[in-house]
Amino acid sequence: RIAAPLAGLGARLGCSPEEAAEGVLAVVNTAMEGALRVISVERGYDPADFTLVSFGGAGGLHAAELAERLGIPRILLPPDPGLLSAFGMLVSPLRKDASRTVLLAADAAAGRLEAEFARLTADAVTAMEAEGVPRARVTLACWIDARYRGQSYELRVPAEDWVEAFHAAHEARYGFARRGAAVEAVTLRVEATAPGPTVPEPRLPPAPSPDPRPDAVEAIVLHGEAVRVPRYGRARLLAGHRLGGPAIITEYSATAWLPPGWRAEVLPGGGILMER
């Protein structure tokens, strides 16, 4: 279904359909790399300290390339990655938020903040009770969006000792704090949560041998060269199975690519850990 569009694109670019396809992948991976940098490097986190969780139907096709670009040493493919967002909606805690903009200076806010948080708490609890959640199961958290007077942006901090929490958050985010400057509370927020349903963790039976048998051998194009690689159906993989790249892993909701220089191991809970 995509051969004809890629052939047309390749003709316009003066290259083969396979070269056009790899060019498309390079552009897509570059865009995703930029998005990952926004939530890691640009926030002061070293990607090498983390595991990349790959989800979505095509996430596993891009994960290894992105991990290599960012220096991430390992990837976790959760069970049913193409359905992970839907699963998360079903099992995540129930949450209701209440907020109110107040714009109060810290030196004059104490009494007003207490009264406003009491009203917001009542609103959040009422919303949870409307969902059938009793008050005893509700956990409340109070937050303040704060800023230095004259700033046009805020940082969200816990309501307890919020002025010092704001100074610390500002220093962590921007590298400095102005502890002598006036601080303002811009928006007050109450977050009410209740636990989601308990879901038992899946457990895979142990593999009799670490080396699974591939379902088939597929012809692919890798860096401009035609190669043949094994394809494994994830439904047949058991705990302890190990794969070496290059390989393809297919399942109902997703496809994953294990490139050369990578290995994978099936975990007892059903996830697959990929490592360079």
Side-chain angles (χ1 to χ4, degrees), residues 116-201:
E116 292 292 352
F117 272 124
R119 281 191 281 268
L120 292 173
T121 296
D123 291 344
V125 170
T126 298
M128 293 293 277
E129 290 175 337
E131 295 282 352
V133 181
R135 174 65 181 87
R137 297 184 64 234
V138 176
T139 300
L140 297 168
C142 298
W143 303 86
I144 296 178
D145 292 357
R147 69 183 184 187
Y148 289 121
R149 181 177 295 164
Q151 281 184 328
S152 59
Y153 54 89
E154 299 85 41
L155 293 176
R156 187 168 302 173
V157 296
E160 184 177 356
D161 197 13
W162 65 277
V163 175
E164 178 55 35
F166 170 74
H167 289 312
H170 198 281
E171 187 169 19
R173 176 68 65 87
Y174 302 110
F176 71 95
R178 297 161 49 199
R179 284 181 165 77
V183 179
E184 296 175 328
V186 178
T187 303
L188 311 184
R189 303 181 186 275
V190 171
E191 175 187 296
T193 58
T198 301
V199 178
E201 181 183 359

Side-chain angles (χ1 to χ4, degrees), residues 197-218:
T198 301
V199 178
E201 181 183 359
R203 305 297 294 182
L204 294 179
S209 164
D211 302 314
R213 178 178 298 178
D215 292 352
V217 176
E218 303 288 352

Side-chain angles (χ1 to χ4, degrees), residues 70-133:
L70 291 164
I72 301 174
R74 68 193 68 82
I75 299 165
L76 178 63
L77 294 174
D80 301 308
L83 309 176
L84 189 65
S85 295
F87 179 77
M89 291 180 65
L90 292 173
V91 302
S92 62
L94 184 64
R95 172 174 162 174
K96 297 291 183 181
D97 296 308
S99 63
R100 181 167 290 127
T101 299
V102 292
L103 194 57
L104 294 171
D107 55 6
R112 175 79 182 277
L113 292 181
E114 184 176 350
E116 292 292 352
F117 272 124
R119 281 191 281 268
L120 292 173
T121 296
D123 291 344
V125 170
T126 298
M128 293 293 277
E129 290 175 337
E131 295 282 352
V133 181

